[in-house]
Amino acid sequence: MKHVYGALYDFIPATYLLPCEYTKLVAEYTRLTYQAKNATTTTTAATTTTTTTTTTANSGGAGGSAGSGGGSGSGGGSAGLPSPPEAHPPTPHNIWICKPIGSSQGRGITIFQDLHELSYASSAVAQRYIGNPLLVGGYKCDIRLYVLVTSFLPLTVYMYTEGIVRFGTEKYSLTALDNLYSHLTNTSLNRLGPGYRKEKDRVGEGCKWTIGELRRHLRGCGKNDWLLWQRVWVLVCLTLLTQVGSVPHHHNCFELYGFDILIDEFLRPWLLEVNRSPSLTHDCHVDRMVKKPLLHHLFDLVGPPRVPEPLARPLRTPFLLLLAKRHTQSPFTAALHLNRYRKLIHCDREEGKGLAGRGGHVANSTARGLRGKEEKGKGTVNRGRRSGNGCICKSISGVSRRDGRDVGDGKWPARCGEWVRVYPFNAATLHAGRDAAYLKSGVAELTKFRKGCEKAARTHTLATAPSPTLERAVRGSLWRDTVLWCPPS
């Protein structure tokens, strides 16, 4: 995708699979080495030229002063003053990180600056190391975002509004690449470090924050991070679009991913890796604040069917138990019991004594007092029943049938609890999520959204404009019904 769409996929550092792409790694390493040497030589030459010119100018000024009246000396000195030297880009860091494939918790990860130091026993991934990460109190951090894919055909993506910020437990420094507690943010690794229990500058004890705490820290430093998070969810959607047409459709499956994203000092997001099985264990209070409600809302969205509400009359013996006694019953009696059992389980609409529906979907109320409909245009919109987590779920199309099944593509709600659907967000992206042939249109819509966010950030003063103002500007120029994802502040 990076080769096809170019700069749109600029959020991925240079990455190579070893050993099959070792020659490409060597070529890129060599190119960066020569680039660093040329930048150093240019900087040295510019410094030498500046020093020589300044010395000449000072000599001319002194001679003029000793001449008649000092006028020529004054003029000669000002004519010989050099213009400010052009700003040269900093020397690129040719540092790489190597991660073994199929491992976890930071095991086997090495950081090297000399290619001769690279060693791997099995398949591995070599990735360009980002040398200017965002630092909090001098400590490196990255963020873990939770992404839920309920369907790959069409592609349906949810993002959880809260996440975890993970810190290293030693001060960040490029002079000590072998200090893993300074460069790696894996919690399982830093828990064993000597600085885990210490009270660290700005970070405090431990090595985890919530994203809300990070946002408050950035606001306290005078940085508006609204544009950053819009770029993040575009990054997530562009990453998952690469799998359209590759994953077979299963209507009863979902996948929870953990996106590891690094933010540099310019508030630019970089995708490090995508974890297929993110850890859901509780190591500290931050995990309990994030992961427990995450699981509650996840099962509200994709969980098992709801247990029917208590009925006025007790349920009959299930038909499966009656089948065991079918030798004592006539076919007519067995059919009668089956009919009654189906009525009780799937709701008797005439009496309104039961509910059936999937958790988090547009719930279908059988009671006439709870059934409310309103006409909007040509369609009939069913008011979603308030789910257990206190949110009202609405489908994509907004059209629901009386039997609880959604019509067309309106299967998944726009929001459930803290899960926000970020893809699809309009008709073009829905078509792109169905077929890889329409992939270009989906990428174009995401590009349009990112440019719209950047335009809104340029039009308004990003440092002072509140997030609702920027969101209204984006919706006014693009799609009015777009649900924008943003972490809590």
Side-chain angles (χ1 to χ4, degrees), residues 299-314:
F299 285 112
D300 281 341
L301 182 59
V302 300
R306 296 176 182 273
V307 177
E309 294 185 358
L311 305 179
R313 58 182 183 229

Side-chain angles (χ1 to χ4, degrees), residues 36 76 121 132 134 177 179 198 244 251 254 257 264 308 365 438 444 473:
N132 60 335
L134 176 68
L177 297 181
N179 187 0
K198 294 181 180 178
V244 172
H251 69 277
F254 68 92
Y257 295 103
D264 63 16
S365 175
Y438 297 96

Side-chain angles (χ1 to χ4, degrees), residues 392-410:
I392 296 181
C393 303
K394 300 179 182 178
S395 63
I396 298 175
S397 62
V399 182
S400 181
R401 299 172 64 169
R402 293 185 62 183
D403 56 357
R405 291 179 297 171
D406 298 308
V407 178
D409 300 305

Side-chain angles (χ1 to χ4, degrees), residues 115 119 124 146 182 187 224 228 237 266 310 331 358 376 410 418 448 455 471 473 488:
L115 194 58
S119 63
Y146 296 96
S182 171
T187 304
N224 193 332
L228 164 67
C237 295
F266 303 108
R358 289 179 60 87
K376 288 188 178 179
E418 296 301 323
K448 188 189 303 182
K455 180 180 178 181
E471 293 176 3

Side-chain angles (χ1 to χ4, degrees), residues 104-314:
S104 61
Q105 299 180 352
R107 291 188 292 263
I109 296 180
T110 58
I111 303 174
F112 62 93
Q113 194 167 8
D114 190 351
L115 194 58
H116 296 90
E117 301 174 0
L118 172 62
S119 63
Y120 52 93
S122 60
S123 299
V125 173
Q127 191 175 72
R128 176 86 181 279
Y129 190 75
I130 300 173
N132 60 335
L134 176 68
L135 301 180
V136 177
Y139 295 91
K140 179 184 176 181
C141 66
D142 69 355
I143 61 175
R144 164 65 62 87
L145 291 176
Y146 296 96
V147 178
L148 175 68
V149 179
T150 56
S151 171
F152 273 101
L153 189 68
L155 179 64
T156 309
V157 183
Y158 285 84
M159 289 184 64
Y160 198 69
T161 56
E162 190 60 275
I164 295 177
V165 183
R166 306 175 301 181
F167 292 92
T169 52
E170 297 288 342
K171 293 277 187 176
Y172 177 77
S173 175
L174 289 177
T175 58
L177 297 181
D178 56 345
N179 187 0
L180 297 183
Y181 300 117
S182 171
H183 295 275
L184 301 185
T185 59
N186 303 72
T187 304
S188 55
L189 174 69
N190 282 280
R191 286 179 61 193
L192 306 176
Y196 180 72
R197 297 293 182 185
K198 294 181 180 178
E199 191 73 19
K200 296 174 281 295
D201 296 340
R202 299 283 185 95
V203 178
E205 187 179 350
C207 62
K208 283 185 179 181
W209 275 7
T210 62
I211 293 185
E213 291 178 283
L214 177 63
R215 295 199 69 189
R216 288 189 288 272
H217 168 75
L218 293 176
R219 294 293 176 87
C221 297
K223 299 178 181 179
N224 193 332
D225 58 342
W226 176 84
L227 183 59
L228 164 67
W229 303 113
Q230 305 312 312
R231 287 174 175 171
V232 164
W233 80 257
V234 171
L235 175 155
V236 170
C237 295
L238 288 174
T239 302
L240 292 172
L241 274 178
T242 61
Q243 302 303 314
V244 172
S246 302
V247 181
H249 177 62
H250 297 284
H251 69 277
N252 60 341
C253 297
F254 68 92
E255 190 71 51
L256 179 65
Y257 295 103
F259 275 67
D260 289 344
I261 297 175
L262 179 71
I263 304 173
D264 63 16
E265 59 183 350
F266 303 108
L267 295 187
R268 178 182 177 184
W270 294 89
L271 175 63
L272 299 183
E273 62 184 24
V274 182
N275 297 273
R276 188 185 59 185
S277 301
S279 173
L280 297 175
T281 58
H282 293 174
D283 297 327
C284 59
H285 72 285
V286 174
D287 289 331
R288 287 187 289 272
M289 290 173 58
V290 175
K291 297 177 181 179
K292 186 175 181 179
L294 179 147
L295 289 173
H296 279 295
H297 298 164
L298 184 146
F299 285 112
D300 281 341
L301 182 59
V302 300
R306 296 176 182 273
V307 177
E309 294 185 358
L311 305 179
R313 58 182 183 229

Side-chain angles (χ1 to χ4, degrees), residues 53 303 306 339:
T53 308
R306 296 176 182 273
N339 189 25

Side-chain angles (χ1 to χ4, degrees), residues 337-357:
H337 282 295
L338 174 62
N339 189 25
R340 289 177 178 175
Y341 179 69
R342 284 177 176 172
K343 280 187 177 182
L344 293 175
I345 294 299
H346 296 288
C347 312
D348 186 355
R349 293 192 183 89
E350 298 298 327
E351 298 180 3
K353 294 182 178 180
L355 294 173

